[in-house]
Amino acid sequence: MRIAELHTHVLEAPLQQPFGWSVDRTTVRKSCLVEIVTDTGLTGWGECFGPARPNAAVVNAFRHLLIDADPLAGDVIWQNLYNRFRDQGQKGLVISGLSGVDIALWDIRGKHFGAPVHQLMGGPMRTKVQAYATGTYRLDDADPLDYVIREVRERMAEGFHGVKLKIGIDFEEDIALIKAARQAIGPERRLMLDANHAYDATEAIALGRRVADQNIDWFEEPVVPEDLASYREVKAGQPIPVAGGECDYTRWGFINIFTSRAMDIIQPDTCAAGGLSECKKIADMATAFGIRYIPHVWGSGIALAAALQLLAVVPHTPARLRPREPLLEFDRSEHPFRQAVLTEPLEHKDGWVDIPTGPGLGIEVDRDALRRFAAAD
Ligand code: CA
């Protein structure tokens, strides 16, 4: 079997209601999907995290190394692509492009063997996963203490067991929102914080101390991803577990985080950090360092499906009679093609999502949706 075709699909959809977070604001959703077709007629799908057109440019730059290669030799292809681009490509777009290709190759492998990806990876460790709701983005003109808390209540009513609150916008308002959110969801359910690296270490430590009594599961991206020294200060200076890693890449990026003890929880994005192959390696490394692994998920249903296949095989850290299970990040903010690209949506039921058991990623892609949401040239 050989790779016969490589296609990138850049999708784009305007939002009805633009939204913001600590460091940016968006009016659209975009994504780069990767389609690999074999000479035997199998099709594999992947997705890249990050800016869609640059992602597509990177994937297309891999073309001459992919066409005619054996799609079942996914690890050989990974190493070949990585090594060819290593000198300028250890992080960022090159690895996001590689991630989309790797996920598509896993989808082909699963379809070829008639098995879900997680089975070929030696699982499942679990057949369903608890989801937490990501959202609480900021609208242009309204009081977040009103609409954010209303959204938090809606997520709880939908059955989610936890919600992640966007902060990093205004220090005192952030603290008021955290306290109001905890009051709205009650003492039992999970509350997480995500600053999208908008604080410095001094602010992050002060905030963590101010809300230390609010039973927060983790404090995500308190500081910029390059600055592991600040991460260590935040980890040492306040009591909330520190999470991060959605802007980090490959085993070599994460070994620095592990050995410097910069984070309590790592959150590699399967569509950015190197794909399913690399993220399984990172997850195994995390167990060796005693660090929790909860993937970052942000994208279409293909990204969601890839994360679910990985979540099926994330090891327990530590193993025990009643182990702590990893969680699925389930973005609930507006995304016109998140579910539309799938013929059957990946939805939650009372806050739980079943891990698909069909071949490969366990999903079918709706080609009408690809045409409908194709970005204009
Ligand atoms: Ca985040």
Side-chain angles (χ1 to χ4, degrees), residues 92-153:
L93 287 168
V94 169
I95 306 302
S96 299
L98 175 51
S99 302
V101 168
D102 179 80
I103 293 165
L105 292 176
W106 271 105
D107 194 24
I108 287 174
R109 212 180 298 183
K111 285 169 177 167
H112 177 75
F113 290 110
V117 169
H118 65 254
Q119 193 176 41
L120 299 180
M121 286 186 153
M125 194 88 178
R126 56 194 66 80
T127 57
K128 61 179 182 171
V129 63
Q130 203 174 52
Y132 73 87
T134 282
T136 77
Y137 290 87
R138 296 304 191 273
L139 310 179
D140 289 342
D141 309 300
D143 180 4
L145 275 159
D146 176 26
Y147 66 84
V148 166
I149 301 308
R150 201 164 55 235
E151 182 186 338
V152 165
R153 286 186 203 280

Side-chain angles (χ1 to χ4, degrees), residues 10 30-32 48-58 92-93 96 249:
V10 175
K30 294 184 189 181
S31 195
C32 170
C48 308
F49 176 48
R53 284 181 201 280
N55 277 331
V58 169
L93 287 168
S96 299
Y249 302 85

Side-chain angles (χ1 to χ4, degrees), residues 203-267:
E203 291 168 314
I205 290 166
L207 183 123
R209 289 179 180 174
R210 288 271 298 275
V211 298
D213 61 349
Q214 297 297 308
N215 190 21
I216 309 291
D217 266 55
W218 70 73
F219 187 175
E220 179 172 326
E221 287 205 294
V223 293
V224 292
E226 305 92 321
D227 186 2
L228 295 186
S230 283
Y231 260 98
R232 283 196 299 278
E233 283 182 31
V234 176
K235 197 162 158 265
Q238 56 80 49
I240 302 169
V242 171
E246 68 182 76
C247 306
D248 291 288
Y249 302 85
T250 77
R251 70 199 84 165
W252 294 282
F254 280 92
I255 195 93
N256 289 333
I257 292 168
F258 295 148
T259 54
S260 63
R261 312 301 296 177
M263 298 171 192
D264 299 290
I265 300 163
I266 57 157
Q267 302 168 303

Side-chain angles (χ1 to χ4, degrees), residues 160-308:
F160 283 101
H161 304 258
V163 64
K164 193 161 74 186
L165 195 62
K166 289 287 177 184
I167 59 169
I169 293 165
D170 177 287
F171 189 84
E172 291 300 332
E173 183 184 272
D174 289 347
I175 289 170
L177 265 177
I178 293 163
K179 291 181 176 175
R182 171 50 78 197
Q183 200 172 26
I185 70 175
E188 303 288 325
R189 294 197 257 193
R190 296 173 193 273
L191 180 61
M192 288 73 94
L193 310 179
D194 186 359
N196 290 95
H197 55 72
Y199 294 133
D200 65 14
T202 308
E203 291 168 314
I205 290 166
L207 183 123
R209 289 179 180 174
R210 288 271 298 275
V211 298
D213 61 349
Q214 297 297 308
N215 190 21
I216 309 291
D217 266 55
W218 70 73
F219 187 175
E220 179 172 326
E221 287 205 294
V223 293
V224 292
E226 305 92 321
D227 186 2
L228 295 186
S230 283
Y231 260 98
R232 283 196 299 278
E233 283 182 31
V234 176
K235 197 162 158 265
Q238 56 80 49
I240 302 169
V242 171
E246 68 182 76
C247 306
D248 291 288
Y249 302 85
T250 77
R251 70 199 84 165
W252 294 282
F254 280 92
I255 195 93
N256 289 333
I257 292 168
F258 295 148
T259 54
S260 63
R261 312 301 296 177
M263 298 171 192
D264 299 290
I265 300 163
I266 57 157
Q267 302 168 303
D269 191 300
T270 315
C271 300
L276 286 158
S277 304
E278 194 67 1
C279 287
K280 177 64 167 70
K281 294 180 174 80
I282 295 166
D284 290 340
M285 284 165 62
T287 64
F289 284 89
I291 290 173
R292 302 178 193 174
Y293 188 113
I294 299 176
H296 175 260
V297 188
W298 177 263
S300 82
I302 295 173
L304 195 56
L308 284 166

Side-chain angles (χ1 to χ4, degrees), residues 25-99:
R25 175 182 179 275
T26 190
T27 59
V28 291
R29 286 284 197 151
K30 294 184 189 181
S31 195
C32 170
L33 306 185
V34 179
E35 178 187 10
I36 296 177
V37 185
T38 69
D39 60 356
T40 58
L42 292 178
T43 299
W45 293 96
E47 181 165 348
C48 308
F49 176 48
R53 284 181 201 280
N55 277 331
V58 169
V59 172
N60 286 310
F62 293 150
R63 179 181 304 277
H64 66 291
L65 299 166
L66 289 171
I67 299 298
D68 287 335
D70 174 3
L72 299 182
D75 219 46
V76 176
I77 291 174
W78 197 100
Q79 291 176 49
N80 189 29
L81 294 177
Y82 185 86
N83 292 338
R84 298 284 190 104
F85 284 78
R86 163 179 261 136
D87 291 8
Q88 290 78 32
Q90 299 152 23
K91 297 177 173 186
L93 287 168
V94 169
I95 306 302
S96 299
L98 175 51
S99 302

